Amino acid sequence: RRPNRTGVREKAAQGELAKLGLTMAFAMERNGMWLPKERTVDDHSIDPRTWGSRTAAKPEVPGDLVIAFHVNARRSHARVMWAGRIGGYWRIGIAEHKPGTEWLIPKLLELKAKYAPIAFAVDARGEQVLTDLKEAGIKLPDDPERPKRGDLYLPTMTEVASAFGMLVDAANNGTILHHNEAPLNSAVSVPP
């Protein structure tokens, strides 16, 4: 139960546990666990050949960009990405991708000083790093209707899904370029 007294009551969860037992069904229903799915060569949203053809001839970082970051569930890795437009094309790239999380705030502050980004974005509400960011000066807008340059943005699930669709469309329509970075390439393809 949450402090505001919402959520599943312990008694209800115990009833489900008694009915289902310690099974995958209980883990999926009550703990949000998803069964791993075996991936196949054709299991990708963007065809690897299409993605490969979207490599920029010359790496460039846009003047106006948005910086997004993500910390994996085990908190063993974090990544910082950027996106912006140059000459009618979306450009996307990796600013940093490495183990640990201790480097994340300093890297975001470095990028803030270097690029003065339009916004910072993260698609999670529970990131511990949100508190650290606020203390470092990267925070949610004081007025959500009038965000300032460099404010933190937390997209809704619908906005994250929409952004994913825009990425797939941009790759398929040829309006996106990337810098041929291995972590980004592997995110859109399955190894043979």
Side-chain angles (χ1 to χ4, degrees), residues 2-184:
R2 297 180 195 99
N4 66 359
R5 304 188 56 77
T6 62
V8 176
R9 295 183 185 278
E10 186 176 351
K11 197 172 199 174
Q14 287 173 345
E16 290 174 351
L17 178 60
K19 181 179 173 184
L20 298 171
L22 282 176
T23 62
M24 290 303 265
F26 179 77
M28 292 169 64
E29 185 65 32
R30 265 310 125 224
N31 300 317
M33 181 178 169
W34 290 45
L35 289 172
K37 178 183 162 198
E38 184 177 335
R39 298 191 68 183
T40 63
V41 172
D42 292 330
D43 184 16
H44 47 266
S45 297
I46 301 170
D47 184 293
R49 292 172 302 233
T50 299
W51 183 253
S53 72
R54 304 300 180 239
T55 301
K58 176 182 157 195
E60 292 180 77
V61 177
D64 275 334
L65 51 79
V66 172
I67 295 173
F69 63 94
H70 176 74
V71 177
N72 72 357
R74 290 184 300 248
R75 304 192 64 74
S76 62
H77 277 78
R79 101 183 35 92
V80 179
M81 303 280 300
W82 55 263
R85 292 181 68 93
I86 297 176
Y89 289 90
W90 282 103
R91 293 286 188 126
I92 62 172
I94 298 173
E96 195 74 69
H97 176 120
K98 63 184 188 180
T101 59
E102 69 286 345
W103 60 268
L104 181 60
I105 301 296
K107 183 64 177 184
L108 293 172
L109 292 174
E110 172 192 321
L111 294 170
K112 180 179 182 180
K114 184 174 182 177
Y115 295 109
I118 296 167
F120 289 88
V122 61
D123 72 346
R125 301 295 192 268
E127 295 280 359
Q128 168 58 41
V129 76
L130 296 180
T131 303
D132 299 335
L133 281 171
K134 184 176 180 180
E135 291 172 5
I138 300 173
K139 59 186 180 55
L140 293 168
D142 295 326
D143 180 357
E145 298 298 317
R146 295 177 180 232
K148 295 179 186 139
R149 188 174 193 95
D151 277 348
L152 182 62
Y153 182 69
L154 300 175
T156 65
M157 287 175 42
T158 301
E159 290 168 328
V160 171
S162 178
F164 175 74
M166 290 169 62
L167 172 69
V168 173
D169 288 346
N172 290 331
N173 298 332
T175 57
I176 193 167
L177 296 171
H178 62 88
H179 296 172
N180 199 26
E181 296 159 304
L184 191 53

